Amino acid sequence: MKKEAAKESKPEKIAKMKQVEEDISKHSDGEWTEEEGHARKKQKLTGQDKEGHDFKIDHHREDRLKKQMEICTKKSESSEFYKSFLKQLKSPDVSGHFRLMLGSETQLQMVIYGLGSIESDEDSRFQLSIAILMKREFDWVNNNIEVFDPVLSATESSVITSFGCTVLSVNEEARREALKPTLFFMPHCRPNLYGNLLESNWRMDRLSKIALLGNSFEMYKDTVFNNQNLIQSIKRIKAAQRITTEFAINTGSEDVYDCAFHILSWHFFRTGVDCELPSLQ
């Protein structure tokens, strides 16, 4: 019998998020991704720097990883989680926000930040598989998904490319300006990356072009972090939350998806003549 995933209350999830941030701030600087109960260690790189541990493609690992991704994608496609995920995306409320965001455009760009290692982390494979399935399902998703995480090896990058994605060579630090409709797929990223994205697009005409799949802004609402490096990012997230419409991802009872997609939500930013940017105070 399959074990049913334990459901946590909102206060419990907030407490875990806060503990993760405090643990990361004590042991590292500028990492990319947080996980419930533990931190995935990732170097934050700048400019065109890349990790030096794996510049060459290992073809044996590449073949094995391709098979793992194919299995993972097929498993995801037939899962109850993905059926629920699609149902939510096709619901009038969520699909209406995408139509409003697209405007006169026919497609949006998908950018994935903070994916993590698809070779060593099953959660990362499930997250990438869902993005790939979205591209196959919806013609309004651009065929070229862009991906960046500083931990990705040459072997992993080759596999990701084989699934129709482009691995970025430059660390944008999530500061991409949304000059066209863009879906930012940022599962379990640290607040500084959400803060960077918001800061670079802190105008209503740019925020209106963004859909964000990432940590629930609502979860940060009543949370105070002691890490000085994150305070400004948290302020911006809390300010943005006041003009955000949020739809929580329902992970259901399948353990693998609960781990890979816990506390994630769709975020859309309200627009209109009566909308203005909230104060950061």
Side-chain angles (χ1 to χ4, degrees):
M1 181 181 296
K2 182 175 177 60
K3 180 182 72 175
E4 183 174 347
K7 298 300 178 184
E8 296 174 310
S9 66
K10 178 178 174 181
E12 288 173 331
K13 288 183 177 180
I14 290 175
K16 280 194 174 184
M17 286 178 64
K18 182 176 180 180
Q19 185 60 53
V20 167
E21 289 299 334
E22 290 176 349
D23 290 344
I24 292 175
S25 66
K26 289 177 184 177
H27 302 296
S28 60
D29 178 33
E31 295 178 359
W32 269 61
T33 306
E34 64 184 14
E35 283 287 353
E36 187 173 4
H38 70 282
R40 282 190 280 177
K41 299 299 181 183
K42 301 182 180 182
Q43 283 188 322
K44 179 179 178 182
L45 307 180
T46 58
Q48 297 188 28
D49 295 335
K50 294 289 289 183
E51 284 200 335
H53 71 278
D54 191 354
F55 284 109
K56 294 183 179 180
I57 297 173
D58 183 319
H59 294 293
H60 293 293
R61 286 167 48 207
E62 181 185 35
D63 290 341
R64 182 174 65 248
L65 185 54
K66 279 183 180 179
K67 291 177 182 177
Q68 287 179 314
M69 274 302 307
E70 288 168 357
I71 292 170
C72 186
T73 303
K74 288 180 180 178
K75 181 177 179 179
S76 295
E77 190 171 21
S78 61
S79 69
E80 290 301 316
F81 167 76
Y82 184 60
K83 293 175 185 176
S84 173
F85 186 85
L86 280 184
K87 183 178 179 181
Q88 183 183 49
L89 277 174
K90 294 178 180 180
S91 68
D93 286 343
V94 176
S95 63
H97 280 283
F98 274 109
R99 283 195 298 270
L100 185 62
M101 189 189 79
L102 280 166
S104 61
E105 299 288 338
T106 58
Q107 288 189 321
L108 56 75
Q109 179 64 51
M110 187 189 296
V111 180
I112 304 177
Y113 292 134
L115 178 65
S117 169
I118 63 169
E119 187 170 20
S120 61
D121 194 332
E122 184 181 47
D123 290 352
S124 297
R125 292 196 292 274
F126 278 117
Q127 289 161 357
L128 179 59
S129 71
I130 293 299
I132 291 168
L133 289 170
M134 276 189 67
K135 180 182 70 170
R136 295 177 183 175
E137 178 71 23
F138 299 104
D139 58 8
W140 44 264
V141 176
N142 190 297
N143 281 332
N144 181 30
I145 298 175
E146 296 177 297
V147 181
F148 182 83
D149 193 299
V151 303
L152 291 173
S153 67
T155 300
E156 290 172 310
S157 296
S158 177
V159 172
I160 291 172
T161 300
S162 74
F163 282 88
C165 304
T166 297
V167 178
L168 301 175
S169 60
V170 176
N171 185 352
E172 300 176 335
E173 298 182 337
R175 296 186 182 278
R176 172 82 62 98
E177 294 182 356
L179 304 179
K180 57 184 179 181
T182 307
L183 164 57
F184 290 96
F185 193 103
M186 300 173 63
H188 303 147
C189 285
R190 292 194 65 204
N192 63 297
L193 291 180
Y194 300 123
N196 288 352
L197 178 67
L198 292 170
E199 182 182 14
S200 297
N201 293 280
W202 202 243
R203 293 167 34 171
M204 288 310 303
D205 62 330
R206 289 187 185 169
L207 289 175
S208 65
K209 293 183 175 67
I210 290 176
L212 169 64
L213 179 61
N215 292 2
S216 166
F217 284 3
E218 180 69 23
M219 302 296 289
Y220 293 106
K221 187 175 181 181
D222 301 316
T223 306
V224 177
F225 291 106
N226 297 323
N227 187 334
Q228 293 297 315
N229 295 327
L230 297 178
I231 287 177
Q232 196 62 30
S233 294
I234 296 297
K235 283 183 178 180
R236 199 170 293 274
I237 290 171
K238 290 182 177 181
Q241 201 272 334
R242 298 199 291 271
I243 56 168
T244 300
T245 302
E246 184 174 323
F247 300 92
I249 301 295
N250 178 19
T251 58
S253 60
E254 297 168 282
D255 290 358
V256 291
Y257 302 103
D258 185 63
C259 187
F261 292 91
H262 73 281
I263 67 170
L264 297 187
S265 293
W266 292 106
H267 302 81
F268 302 93
F269 302 95
R270 291 191 288 275
T271 60
V273 293
D274 59 338
C275 287
E276 58 183 36
L277 290 173
S279 169
L280 294 181
Q281 299 302 318

